Amino acid sequence: MKRQMLDTGWTISRLRGPSTAPTLPNTIPAAVPGNVHLDLMAAQLITDPYLDVNEISQDWIGRSAWRYRLAFDWDGEDAERIDLSCLGLDTAARLELNGTALGETRNMHRSYRFDIGDHLKSGRNELIVDFQSAYEHGEDVRKQLGSAADIPQNYPGPSNLIRKMACNFGWDWGPTVVTSGIWKPIAIESWSKARLGSIRPEITLQGSQGVARLHVEIEWAEKGTDSAALVLSVGGKRAEVRVAQGETHALIECRIDNPRVWWPHGMGGQPLYDLDLQLLGSDGATLDHWKRRVGFRSVRLDTTPDEIGSAFTLVVNDVPVFARGANWIPDDCFLPRVTRERYRERITQARDANMNMLRVWGGGIYETDTFYEECDAAGIMVWQDFLFACATYPEEEPVYSEIEAEAREAITRLMPYASLVIWNGNNENIWGYFDWGWQDVLGNRPWGAGYYLDLLPKLVAEIDPTRPYWAGSPYSGSMEIAPNADEHGCKHIWDVWNEVGYETYRNYIPRFCSEFGWQAPPTFATLAQSVREKDRAPASPGVLHHQKATTGNDKLLMGLEDWFPHPQNFDDWLFVTQLNQARAISYGIDHMRSHRPTCMGTIVWQINDCWPVTSWAAVDGAGRKKPLWYALKHSYAPHLLTIQPRGDGLAAVAVNDATLFWRVPFTAERFDFNGTLLARHHVWRILCDRFENTDIDIPSDVATPGDPSREFLRARLGDAEAWWFFEKDMKLQYPKPRFDIESADTPDGITVTVTAQSLLRDVCLFVDRISPNAEVDDMLINLAPGESRRFKVKGISREAFDDADLSTVLRTANQVAEPQHH
């Protein structure tokens, strides 16, 4: 197999579109892989759509048809078969080589292969790829479907009718930037005799053996070819099978005794083995080969009925795992910009926040192989949605066949990755059917249930029997039980944030919470780079444009009720809304983790952003960590100590997600805000076994305040600690924050030591205010009077820190509750 990449020399031109579009040059240089928006930016024909309100004036791009053109040379090499391999075309395209039509594509999420041997010529060739506007393509499908297309969806655009990344059409955190282009590599592949077609590797553990069983399809160039051989090598083992001429399917297997086992992050290592599959001709020459890094592990989903309802627990290598994770959306609206380095940075941020799972959400894409490779290496389990989100979907043609072909390819492509542990049918569509009024609109028309309850489970069982499948998120496991029930399956909690305050999290004890979240703006540095207004304010045009949730800013303020006064300036608004987001999510996670094993997973909405925006993300669109990221790091710690209401009193709950038992002294103390010790309880040793919780009663004389507005409770279990305040911030008689601050040089940055002279709650250092590239190692730290904390800061000099105005750099909760200072 020889491969000639077609990655240079492309141009684009606009074929048709709205009359409002600006006049463009006849040809514009194009990058492949890439898309039209990126090419227009590179040619300086548009400004960055992420800046200010540029998105609005660039709508014409997504409503236009575009032509990609490439002139390339071919040396006329002698091969029995020559194919054009297209790994990703976005979305409805027509391909033509030297004036001859090759075919059409209708799915961004599939790859395509065209036999071009009869159309290539020695010397100069011309390849044209014409992309229809996604909106126009949607209208074509709508006409084909007739009344079957008039079914509900929650967001604008035709994303439920066409197979394109749904959030391209705008979401409550994303802009409307409807892309076109060759978004993955395109190449000419020439081969003779035979090549490897699809390869389905079942990589698992059976007892003490690692099993690599590969179902291989072979494509033959012509009928009189000699036989071939498949050779599989993995973990020092080798297997070979002969393949008769014309035989299109083969099975080959290696078994490894006592392999090193792949574990989720925090439970063990992530050893990966080189797996090599070769297709050899009768003369021993290599015709084709396929390589992957694989990990041996087993996974199943435990849904055993119990006295509450039924479990929802992922079991890896026969060990029940509490999933500590976040939802993943595309990391950029312009997918080709997401490099391996960026994937690695984001996945490292997840791991460093003590996560062990990312859920690839159904309104985006099946991620690139790079994403799963990085998750394999980091020990981050992947929950993979099929690509259906917040809408009903036609089950008629031409949609059904596209979806089946897409799902078959996606399952097959992602099978090698140890990190992938569960397939999920859709995001919120079963919930929508039952609870969002869809049935009144639908009547008896199909709406997608046939995919989630029939097609997809059959395909997973047929193609990838090593992994569990679940029909939806949320879903109870039965169409007879409410889809968002606490007692069964996986749950989404969205009345919190949308309607009620985060105290309501304690009303729920789900079996697994696969979505819950709270909004906040991005970091100051990211806002400053993307909104260039002279007068920034929460409701200024630029800031408001970077808030896509309906009444989102109003909800930010509603969520402050009783906790904090409404901020009076932009800096306070930025800090207090970010602080409230961090508090809200910690509150929810700590509560749900304290109820293990009833609850066995919390998947926060969301870890990342696709552009600079006010959203639920912990890491903003420029890759900077919001206070929420630090809150996740604390609340997802393998050793968590949290104080929770239990009965009429309070208990400390020790949560041990580590692989060793936890046996350390326990202390609970009540102080006043001046630091005076008022009551104390000490236990010489508390034992919390691995993967278990231990409730530790706090005696009422310690847990009951004399003056709830001026006292706090603090518990320690070894190095873990938990704080409890008896009132919301607005009712607390906080002292005015007083502290000393010192900086010192270190080999890789500086340290900043904060010494509290008064109680300091939620100490945050916003060093991005000094330099956009600066980062601190921790935030949201409580300090009692006399205590010190040393923060490590990268990306800034000591001189720059010492010269900075610290009024917006060092913030505490005490400051924003100023009216209550005493």
Side-chain angles (χ1 to χ4, degrees):
M1 166 89 68
K2 291 186 179 178
R3 182 175 289 113
Q4 177 177 327
M5 302 305 300
L6 304 179
D7 54 3
T8 57
W10 289 87
T11 63
I12 58 167
S13 56
R14 185 170 173 269
L15 294 177
R16 63 185 177 277
S19 58
T20 54
T23 301
L24 297 176
N26 289 335
T27 60
I28 300 160
V32 170
N35 66 40
V36 169
H37 283 81
L38 295 176
D39 296 332
L40 294 174
M41 274 191 273
Q44 298 185 324
L45 295 168
I46 62 169
T47 49
D48 188 341
Y50 293 177
L51 294 180
D52 305 322
V53 296
N54 292 347
E55 169 204 343
I56 300 171
S57 60
Q58 296 172 4
D59 193 55
W60 59 272
I61 302 170
R63 296 184 182 275
S64 297
W66 298 90
R67 168 165 291 176
Y68 276 70
R69 186 192 301 265
L70 174 67
F72 66 95
D73 290 319
W74 179 253
D75 63 8
E77 77 169 72
D78 186 25
E80 293 174 0
R81 181 75 184 265
I82 305 172
D83 293 340
L84 180 68
S85 168
C86 311
L87 294 187
L89 301 174
D90 177 15
T91 292
R94 180 182 182 276
L95 292 90
E96 183 181 293
L97 178 61
N98 297 326
T100 301
L102 300 178
E104 296 185 347
T105 75
R106 293 288 180 267
N107 195 324
M108 175 183 180
H109 309 302
R110 288 177 61 188
S111 63
Y112 294 88
R113 179 176 287 271
F114 303 96
D115 183 348
I116 60 172
D118 292 340
H119 314 305
L120 264 181
K121 57 190 182 185
S122 183
R124 204 70 166 163
N125 291 260
E126 183 180 63
L127 177 62
I128 290 174
V129 186
D130 285 345
F131 288 95
Q132 188 182 23
S133 153
Y135 290 103
E136 192 175 68
H137 173 44
E139 276 308 303
D140 288 350
V141 175
R142 185 179 297 281
K143 288 171 186 169
Q144 285 178 270
L145 288 169
S147 63
D150 298 326
I151 54 179
Q153 71 160 329
N154 273 23
Y155 291 92
S159 65
N160 62 333
L161 306 182
I162 67 175
R163 299 312 295 163
K164 176 172 173 59
M165 182 167 94
C167 60
N168 255 183
F169 295 96
W171 219 261
D172 55 7
W173 37 258
T176 302
V177 284
V178 178
T179 53
S180 291
I182 303 171
W183 76 281
K184 284 186 174 181
I186 184 169
I188 294 174
E189 295 180 348
S190 51
W191 52 283
S192 296
K193 297 184 180 178
R195 64 175 286 271
L196 295 168
S198 77
I199 299 164
R200 297 193 290 110
E202 297 176 21
I203 313 293
T204 189
L205 284 174
Q206 290 180 0
S208 62
Q209 284 192 322
V211 180
R213 180 184 299 116
L214 275 63
H215 303 262
V216 184
E217 290 189 7
I218 296 109
E219 190 175 343
W220 299 88
E222 57 182 40
K223 285 183 176 173
T225 306
D226 292 339
S227 64
L230 283 172
V231 178
L232 174 64
S233 303
V234 61
K237 297 286 182 151
R238 185 179 184 277
E240 180 173 341
V241 297
R242 301 300 300 177
V243 184
Q245 189 279 317
E247 193 175 344
T248 57
H249 299 276
L251 178 65
I252 188 167
E253 179 180 293
C254 277
R255 288 179 176 259
I256 302 170
D257 292 329
N258 300 306
R260 291 173 296 135
V261 175
W262 186 95
W263 287 95
H265 166 54
M267 298 177 69
Q270 291 79 45
L272 296 171
Y273 289 80
D274 291 317
L275 182 149
D276 186 88
L277 178 69
Q278 294 197 65
L279 180 65
L280 305 180
S282 56
D283 58 357
T286 300
L287 303 177
D288 202 356
H289 73 279
W290 186 85
K291 289 184 176 181
R292 290 294 185 273
R293 299 267 286 161
V294 299
F296 292 100
R297 56 101 189 96
S298 65
V299 61
R300 60 186 169 86
L301 181 65
D302 179 6
T303 57
T304 307
D306 56 25
E307 66 280 1
I308 298 166
S310 56
F312 193 92
T313 303
L314 280 160
V315 181
V316 180
N317 303 328
D318 292 325
V319 177
V321 178
F322 190 102
R324 309 187 308 269
N327 284 267
W328 171 275
I329 65 171
D331 204 53
D332 200 316
C333 299
F334 306 127
L335 299 169
R337 290 204 293 207
V338 188
T339 59
R340 179 176 291 275
E341 291 69 31
R342 190 154 144 188
Y343 277 123
R344 182 174 296 156
E345 179 188 5
R346 221 51 85 242
I347 289 162
T348 299
Q349 287 169 331
R351 181 180 164 125
D352 288 350
N354 293 310
M355 294 184 196
N356 61 16
M357 174 173 272
L358 291 172
R359 173 187 169 216
V360 180
W361 166 79
I365 59 171
Y366 304 103
E367 275 294 346
T368 65
D369 290 325
T370 303
F371 171 85
Y372 304 93
E373 289 165 2
E374 293 298 326
C375 287
D376 279 3
I380 299 294
M381 297 181 290
V382 176
W383 162 316
Q384 178 66 57
D385 281 12
F386 287 97
L387 301 185
F388 306 90
C390 299
T392 54
Y393 288 79
E395 296 179 33
E396 296 81 4
E397 296 296 354
V399 180
Y400 189 95
S401 295
E402 271 306 336
I403 285 171
E404 179 173 359
E406 167 195 311
R408 283 185 178 278
E409 181 174 335
I411 297 166
T412 301
R413 176 171 70 87
L414 302 186
M415 281 177 70
Y417 300 110
S419 52
L420 179 58
V421 295
I422 185 170
W423 292 100
N424 173 59
N426 72 84
N427 175 75
E428 298 191 340
N429 296 348
I430 297 174
W431 190 20
Y433 176 75
F434 279 101
D435 290 354
W436 298 353
W438 289 357
Q439 294 183 48
D440 298 336
V441 181
L442 281 167
N444 58 6
R445 284 175 293 182
W447 56 276
Y451 301 129
Y452 321 134
L453 303 176
D454 182 40
L455 175 66
L456 295 175
K458 283 180 180 173
L459 290 179
V460 172
E462 170 199 335
I463 299 169
D464 185 15
T466 69
R467 288 181 180 87
Y469 169 85
W470 194 250
S473 181
Y475 182 55
S476 63
S478 167
M479 296 295 275
E480 306 302 314
I481 301 171
N484 208 30
D486 269 17
E487 302 83 6
H488 304 271
C490 52
K491 181 182 180 72
H492 291 191
I493 300 176
W494 280 119
D495 57 343
V496 175
W497 164 253
N498 279 312
E499 299 162 24
V500 295
Y502 61 79
E503 311 93 296
T504 305
Y505 280 133
R506 288 208 181 116
N507 294 354
Y508 304 115
I509 306 176
R511 306 313 300 260
F512 191 110
C513 193
S514 43
E515 265 192 38
F516 63 109
W518 195 275
Q519 262 205 355
T523 60
F524 175 83
T526 296
L527 253 181
Q529 289 169 350
S530 56
V531 178
R532 300 169 301 175
E533 295 170 316
K534 182 177 167 212
D535 300 313
R536 279 189 212 99
S540 65
V543 174
L544 203 55
H545 185 74
H546 290 75
Q547 161 63 280
K548 295 296 186 180
T550 305
T551 66
N553 272 15
D554 294 340
K555 290 173 183 175
L556 285 173
L557 295 180
M558 277 168 42
L560 298 177
E561 294 300 330
D562 298 333
W563 293 101
F564 297 107
H566 281 197
Q568 298 304 301
N569 59 60
F570 181 76
D571 291 328
D572 281 355
W573 174 79
L574 192 64
F575 170 59
V576 78
T577 53
Q578 289 180 340
L579 173 59
N580 212 42
Q581 177 191 41
R583 290 246 203 114
I585 297 307
S586 275
Y587 190 103
I589 292 173
D590 293 357
H591 159 70
M592 287 185 261
R593 284 190 75 188
S594 82
H595 286 282
R596 177 187 180 134
T598 302
C599 177
M600 284 299 287
T602 55
I603 310 296
V604 175
W605 186 269
Q606 67 216 61
I607 185 170
N608 61 327
D609 268 326
C610 60
W611 77 309
V613 63
T614 295
S615 85
W616 296 265
V619 175
D620 72 21
R624 297 186 179 97
K625 298 168 181 174
K626 291 155 69 169
L628 172 59
W629 183 88
Y630 299 91
L632 292 173
K633 181 181 176 183
H634 300 160
S635 286
Y636 276 154
H639 284 166
L640 173 70
L641 183 67
T642 176
I643 298 172
Q644 296 288 329
R646 290 291 187 266
D648 295 330
L650 296 173
V653 184
V655 181
N656 185 6
D657 258 345
T659 57
L660 300 173
F661 65 80
W662 190 16
R663 189 176 63 188
V664 281
F666 172 78
T667 304
E669 297 170 314
R670 180 162 49 86
F671 296 89
D672 67 19
F673 284 178
N674 295 321
T676 304
L677 178 64
L678 303 174
R680 188 171 190 268
H681 172 65
H682 180 73
V683 181
W684 183 68
R685 284 281 188 271
I686 293 288
L687 174 63
C688 184
D689 208 349
R690 62 186 181 191
F691 311 133
E692 285 193 0
N693 286 8
T694 300
D695 281 22
I696 309 162
D697 288 334
I698 299 175
S700 61
D701 65 311
V702 179
T704 306
D707 182 350
S709 70
R710 298 171 186 266
E711 297 176 20
F712 65 90
L713 190 61
R714 187 179 192 175
R716 285 192 176 97
L717 187 67
D719 292 335
E721 72 169 30
W723 292 61
W724 178 273
F725 290 85
F726 296 97
E727 296 281 7
K728 295 182 178 180
D729 295 67
M730 291 280 279
K731 290 187 177 178
L732 293 175
Q733 303 293 314
Y734 280 133
K736 188 167 180 132
R738 299 188 312 281
F739 52 86
D740 294 321
I741 189 162
E742 292 181 8
S743 63
D745 288 311
T746 66
D748 57 351
I750 64 170
T751 60
V752 175
T753 302
V754 177
T755 301
Q757 296 176 8
S758 68
L759 171 70
L760 300 180
R761 186 173 181 190
D762 292 318
V763 176
C764 295
L765 274 177
F766 294 106
V767 289
D768 67 295
R769 290 273 191 163
I770 305 171
S771 168
N773 299 321
E775 185 177 291
V776 67
D777 68 328
D778 212 350
M779 272 196 203
L780 305 165
I781 302 301
N782 297 329
L783 294 175
E787 291 184 331
S788 294
R789 180 60 177 255
R790 181 177 292 135
F791 298 90
K792 296 176 184 175
V793 180
K794 294 187 297 187
I796 198 171
S797 69
R798 183 180 175 189
E799 292 75 20
F801 184 85
D802 290 346
D803 290 344
D805 173 9
L806 294 186
S807 64
T808 57
V809 173
L810 194 153
R811 302 301 303 262
T812 70
N814 314 42
Q815 292 170 319
V816 285
E818 288 273 5
Q820 301 296 324
H821 286 156
H822 284 262

